[in-house]
Structure formats: C-alpha cells, structure tokens
Amino acid sequence: MVKVFIYPATSLILSDMVARFGHEPLGSAIGIRERIQTPGIESPPLQITPEEPKKGLKWAAVEVPSGVRGRMAVYGPLIEEAEAAIIIRDPDYAFGCMGCARTNELIQFHLRHKEIPLLDLAYPTSDEEGVGFVAAIKEFLTGLKTEGSA
Amino acid sequence: MTEKVRIAQLSCGPEYSGVQKEIYDAAAMVDAEVFFPDIALADVQQGFSEFGLDVRSPDLKLAIARAKALVEGRIDADAVFIATCFRCAEAAIVRNELRRYIHENSTLPVVSYSFTERTTSGTLLTRMEALTTIARRRALLAREEQEGITMGIDSGSSTTKAVIMKDNEIVGTGWLPTTEVLKSADGVVELALQEAGLRFEDIEAIGTTGYGRYLIGKKYNAQLVQEELTVNSKGAVYLADRQHGSATVIDIGGMDNKAITVQDGIPGTFTMGGICAGASGRFLEMTAKRLGVDITELGPLAMKGMEDTVPMNSYCIVFGTQSLVNALAEGSSREDVAAAACHSVAEQVFEQQLQEVDIKEPVIMVGGTSLIQGLVRAMGELLQTEIVVPPYSQYIGSVGSALLASGFIRGE
C-alpha cells in the first residue's frame, strides 16, 4: 500500500480510485457540492484558527497571503507524507476543485520536486480521452502496487 | 429588537486564514448576520465569463458569480462585505472591480477589506457598523436639516470635540486634546454650553461618535451612538452644502484615515486605514513639534515651502522622522520640511487608500488636519482638483452627530 497525494485534493472520484487499487489516498475529506453555500468552493471541514497560517510558514514565506499559508498548513504535512502523487491539470469543478490558484501552484510545485512516482495528467475533454484517462490512472496505481509488493 | 441586517460575504481565503470567526463576531456585535449567496456550481463558470475577468482562483470566480447574483436581484441582501487575503494581487484586482461593479449597478452599501491572520473582530467593527447603519438607517441619514437643540460629541484619538446646534445653526463649540476620555468630554461639553449660553438641560438630543463613543454615549445617555464613517460623511456634505449628488470625503485623522464616496449624503464605498502613523495626522503633529511650532502654524509654514527640495517618505513614521531630522541637519529650511511632511502624508493616503475608492468631485477634506493648508494643497495637487474645506471642518464628527441626533427629538 502506498500513500498517494491526489490533486485536486477534494476529488472524491480520484480518492475512490486510489482506495480501490489498494492504496491510501491523501486528500481532503470533502467533495464539491453542486450548490455552494459556504464561504469558499472547498471550505475546510474543520475550523481553521489563526495559528494555521503561522504553521504554514514552513512551506511559504511571510509575504505569501495568509490564505495560502493556511491551506499549506493542511496540505503541507500530507505532501511530506506522500509516497506517490496524481495531479490532474485543469479539472472540471465538479471533479474536484481547490479555491486558491496560488496554493494550487505551490502544491503542484512541491509534488513535482519531491522524488516520488508522479502521474501528471490533463483532465479529459471527450469520452475517448476519458477512457484513456482512467486507464492511465489504473496503470499508474497498479504499478505502484507492484513496486510496493516487490 | 430590530431585524438583523443581512450582509452578503464575497471572499477568498478568510477560512484558511482563520479569520472567518472574526467576521461573524464583528457582524454579531452590530446585530447583523453574514451569509454566503447560495449559487450553483454551474453559475460560477457562467458568472465570471460574463463579467469578463478571467482570474485563476476558483474562489475569486465564485465571488464574481455571487456579485452578479446580487446585482441581478437573484439573491436578497442588505449590504455586501468583500474580503480577500492581504498581499494577493489577483484578489486585489477582483476586490476593486467587484466593489465598483456593485456600487455602480445596485444600491447596496459595500465595504471591502484585505485581511491577514491577525485581523480581529475589533478591526472590522467600525466597517460593519457603518454597513449596517447605511442599510438600517437610510431614513435617518436622509435628514438634511438640524432641528431643536442638539449636541454632538466626537471623542477622537487625538482630540475631543463638541458642538451644540440650534435650529440648523452652530451655536457652541468645544475642543480639547483627548486625555482621559470622559474628562475631556466633560470639558468640551462645558465649553460648548458656555459659548452657546445654554444649560445641559436645554439639550434635547445627543449624538456621540469617535473611539470613545460608547463610553461617552453611556454617560450622557446619548440617543445616537454612531461610528465616524457615516457621521463624518453626513457632516461633510451638510457643512459643504453638497447634500445632493456625489462627493468624496477625506478625513486624515490622528490614528486612522477615512476615504468615503458619498451619494446624496449617504456613504457608498469607503476605506479606513491606518497601518502606520506615517500616513496620519500624528506624523504632522510630530513634525510640528520637531520644527518648534504649534500644529496650527504648520499649515501656513508649509504653504511657504517647496516640498520637492526635501526627500521624505513617511510610509513608516520612524523612517519619516529620520528623513525629517536628516533634512534639517543638512540645512533645509523649516518651510520646505513642513511642505515635504504635508506632501508625504498626502502621498501615503493617496497611494494606500484613495486607490480603493472612485474619487468623485467635489473632494471635501474634513477633520483637524483639514486646517493644515499645506496638507490640503498637497492633496489637491495629487488629485488634481480643488479641495473643499467647509467651515467648522475640524468639528465634522460633532456636527454630523448633532444633525443626525435631531432625528430622535421626534422619535424618527
């Protein structure tokens, strides 16, 4: 079993796929709702206090906006824990979505610079691409399993 | 109990910054509730495409879609609060454009704020209070004439002022430096009563404003206890005789500055700042002290000087003071230094605050600093307009309070 960081971290579909192939998904335990009644698209499930942006200083300097640092306090430790990662570029909001573009850039940067197996995929725009998309994820996750059990 | 004012929040980042609770708390203090306009995910894509601002952050796209829903009347709200992270350029653009969009296309009062994780409910309180006042007391703010005998007390960070008005005329004034809040208030009330030739019992209604408004309001049983944003804008357009149409009110205070756009006497958008005293009246007070003149003499002194000859940047009061000392040590004249100090304060206010409101003429300067001619001149040069300084401009908060308080005589 490998700990796989998923991006977008809110994607329940990716989270489910990772779990189905016997790995542990690292992401946020929230899905994107069809109607948004919360402050942000991916409002945190727990109360974040002003301490989180300070903890986020480990991953982003003080001149970085507090919202980025607060998010990094949540995702930074997961990135450190990750043994593999899947990044889906420009996903549809319904697939999974994270509210701050600057944090998204920083998360992807950290994942790409971590020497772990990484699947970097564009979100499919047609049925045909969709089939290839799922196949690519399956192949990546199966490969991880092989490596893990070797 | 009055009905709660419903404030729609358009934001990016407050939860992950840990300040959402502070926003809720500030709203609760003024009996308002913050809500998030309920829209569908599909509206987010459509909203920002139609708005035409293609930002990258989904939460900013959500804010745009929510603003559109408010302007188009699909969501009911009494006021709008826009909040994004401090130091985010993308968010600053959205914040600015949304504030303008809502202001131009609806009657909703709107205020914006850029927060850090250190933002507290106390910092947000005055802004929330102003928002709810505009939403809740439109009828009161529509008052254009003072009636009966009323008094306004303004307890500022530097000075305390009182004004007594009778039948739409100012009949008594009092002005003292703020030391002990209540003691200073008692002093100015006595001065104003003496000048007016009236007894305290003659006063029919009292309004208080400024930092000490709650304490003084309690002591004097004031009918109106009101933050200075609405009171000052009302007082400014009243004294400048610009109660109809648009105007911009600038108040450079001892501790913070206010820039307010006003439409028919009612504030539309406003900013309130004061991160560093270098951009406030406090720096000018220090300058006067260093030059060995009374603050009242600084203005005329500055009018005789040339600010260009002295490099000065009071972004930070410590560095500003350093420039001041260096300039004098290098032989600059007191006149030039005074002019440079005025220019520097005007420039800080211009760069840090006036970019956030749409300046509409006439520009009215009020508060004690509006008596410093050098500062008024510098602001006029920066804004390229003739600044209006109404009579009694230093008593603006007191006049606004006395004017609005008269609405309580007959229980409006």
Side-chain angles (χ1 to χ4, degrees), chain B residues 52-64:
Chain B
L53 187 57
D54 191 7
V55 287
R56 298 268 300 155
S57 289
D59 274 356
L60 291 175
K61 291 179 178 180
L62 174 64
I64 293 171

Side-chain angles (χ1 to χ4, degrees), chain B residues 85-99:
Chain B
C85 291
F86 180 57
R87 295 199 187 101
C88 178
E90 184 184 37
I93 293 171
V94 174
R95 205 172 63 231
N96 230 10
E97 294 309 323
L98 285 188
R99 188 179 48 229

Side-chain angles (χ1 to χ4, degrees), chain A residues 34-44 48 50 53 62-63 65-67 69-71 93 97-99 101-102, chain B residues 13 15-18 21 36-41 44 56-59 61-62 66 85-88 90 115-117:
Chain A
E34 193 182 331
R35 298 205 69 81
I36 315 159
Q37 291 151 326
T38 45
I41 281 185
E42 29 78 270
S43 287
I48 301 262
V62 72
E63 71 261 29
S66 51
R69 286 184 279 115
R71 282 181 163 94
Y93 286 174
C97 180
M98 293 158 76
R102 301 290 88 81
Chain B
E15 285 174 301
Y16 282 97
S17 298
K21 185 178 177 301
F36 307 98
D38 172 8
I39 61 169
L41 202 54
V44 176
R56 298 268 300 155
S57 289
D59 274 356
K61 291 179 178 180
L62 174 64
R66 282 176 163 164
C85 291
F86 180 57
R87 295 199 187 101
C88 178
E90 184 184 37
F115 52 77
T116 69
E117 66 270 32

Side-chain angles (χ1 to χ4, degrees), chain A residues 1-97:
Chain A
M1 188 185 74
V2 173
K3 291 177 176 177
V4 184
F5 187 95
I6 53 166
Y7 177 88
T10 51
S11 174
L12 293 185
I13 299 172
L14 263 186
S15 176
D16 182 58
M17 284 181 81
V18 171
R20 274 172 195 263
F21 283 95
H23 301 298
E24 184 186 339
L26 299 177
S28 56
I30 49 165
I32 300 301
R33 301 152 303 275
E34 193 182 331
R35 298 205 69 81
I36 315 159
Q37 291 151 326
T38 45
I41 281 185
E42 29 78 270
S43 287
L46 296 170
Q47 173 71 31
I48 301 262
T49 71
E51 286 307 305
E52 266 70 26
K54 288 176 197 158
K55 289 179 194 158
L57 286 167
K58 185 174 175 189
W59 296 276
V62 72
E63 71 261 29
V64 176
S66 51
V68 175
R69 286 184 279 115
R71 282 181 163 94
M72 288 312 292
V74 174
Y75 296 115
L78 296 182
I79 294 170
E80 287 186 350
E81 209 182 317
E83 295 162 334
I86 300 172
I87 294 174
I88 308 300
R89 276 175 276 121
D90 302 320
D92 186 89
Y93 286 174
F95 178 80
C97 180

Side-chain angles (χ1 to χ4, degrees), chain B residues 250 252 307-308 312 314 339-355 359 361 363 365 374-387:
Chain B
I250 299 174
I252 301 177
E307 71 269 9
D308 295 345
M312 193 174 293
S314 62
C342 289
H343 182 81
S344 182
V345 168
E347 201 169 40
Q348 296 310 317
V349 174
F350 178 71
E351 286 176 5
Q352 292 174 36
Q353 283 190 276
L354 297 183
Q355 307 300 324
I359 302 287
E361 291 184 353
V363 177
M365 267 181 86
L375 182 63
V376 176
R377 181 183 68 174
M379 192 55 86
E381 282 169 1
L382 282 166
L383 294 175
Q384 297 186 2
T385 185
E386 187 128 342
I387 307 273

Side-chain angles (χ1 to χ4, degrees), chain B residues 308-329:
Chain B
D308 295 345
T309 57
V310 179
M312 193 174 293
N313 186 337
S314 62
Y315 179 74
C316 160
I317 197 163
V318 177
F319 294 144
T321 310
Q322 222 167 41
S323 309
L324 188 87
V325 172
N326 285 342
L328 287 169

